[in-house]
Amino acid sequence: QITLKESGPTLVKPTQTLTLTCSFSGFSLSTSGVGVGWIRQPPGKALECLALIYWDDDKRYSPSLNNRLTITKDTSKNQVVLTMSNMAPVDTATYYCAHAPRMPRGGTQGGYYYYYMDVWGEGTTVTVSS
Amino acid sequence: DIQMTQSPSSLSASVGDRVTITCRASQSISTWLAWYQQKPGKAPKVVIYLASSLESGVPSRFSGSGSGTEFTLTISSLQPDDSGTYYCQHYNGYSGFTFGPGTRVHVK
């Protein structure tokens, strides 16, 4: 059974750096074809994927937030860490992490296989305020 | 970057109704699309992946179709538990995941 759980501060001040940890079980991020993503959702708004890390340490970032985000993995601890710098009140949101398996039967596009998010954590709420 | 749009933004329907939500991509994405259901205060749950594959454990009244730039999620007989917001999501190997703006479904 795959489970994920997000942890981190509930309150950060503007300009601070946010560090969130996704602790997971039921899979290994050293297994080929596995990814973990971070997604956020401001109150009353839509989902936004922030970053994605693959088993081979390849990474993807949201183009609009690329220069503020860093995603890393610790395979021995079964954790993925997201840091977001220069936090502002607009970054107030619920932050989720999710398991993303590769689906080979979707074929390839540009040499890449298809992924989707099949198991999510329950989320952690972060408020940015002075 | 590929943009995702959804219509309608919200709908209200009765128990037993057939409901269809549409998702459009700004350029062709083959069948690389998933649908998620989210209830208030809860994490999203995947309903459909690869445009038409039903996720394990999801009721068969849910179905997905489409390819290229236009996709639909259909609920054949709406149930009270189907209320929530539905998001489409595209995966691209170069840029990762992109979500649509969501469609809120209210069951009368």
Side-chain angles (χ1 to χ4, degrees), chain A residues 39 41 45-49 52 54 60-61 63 96 100 103 105-110 112-118 120-122, chain B residues 1 29-34 36 38 41-44 46 49-50 53 55 87 89-97 99-101:
Chain A
I39 308 95
Q41 185 173 40
K45 297 191 176 181
L47 301 164
E48 176 186 19
C49 188
L52 176 63
Y54 300 89
R60 300 289 182 268
Y61 294 103
Y96 299 97
M103 297 298 291
R105 68 181 178 88
T108 60
Q109 292 184 23
Y112 294 101
Y113 285 100
Y114 174 74
Y115 287 74
Y116 76 112
M117 294 173 167
D118 65 344
W120 294 58
E122 62 185 19
Chain B
D1 292 349
I29 59 171
S30 183
T31 59
W32 284 22
L33 187 99
Y36 296 83
Q38 186 181 34
K42 300 295 186 182
V46 63
Y49 63 94
L50 276 173
S53 295
E55 177 73 358
Y87 294 93
Q89 178 207 54
H90 166 56
Y91 173 77
N92 178 296
Y94 298 99
S95 57
F97 293 100
F99 289 93

Side-chain angles (χ1 to χ4, degrees), chain A residues 65-77:
Chain A
L65 295 166
N66 186 21
N67 61 343
R68 297 175 53 203
L69 297 172
T70 302
I71 189 169
T72 59
K73 63 181 176 71
D74 187 329
T75 304
S76 64
K77 293 183 179 179

Side-chain angles (χ1 to χ4, degrees), chain A residues 15 23 36-39 46 52 57 59 65 71 74 76 90-91 93 99 106 108 118-119 125 128 130:
Chain A
T15 75
S23 301
V36 171
W38 279 98
I39 308 95
L52 176 63
D57 211 37
K59 301 164 188 177
L65 295 166
I71 189 169
D74 187 329
S76 64
V90 295
D91 297 314
H99 172 258
T108 60
D118 65 344
V119 182
T125 300
V128 185
S130 55

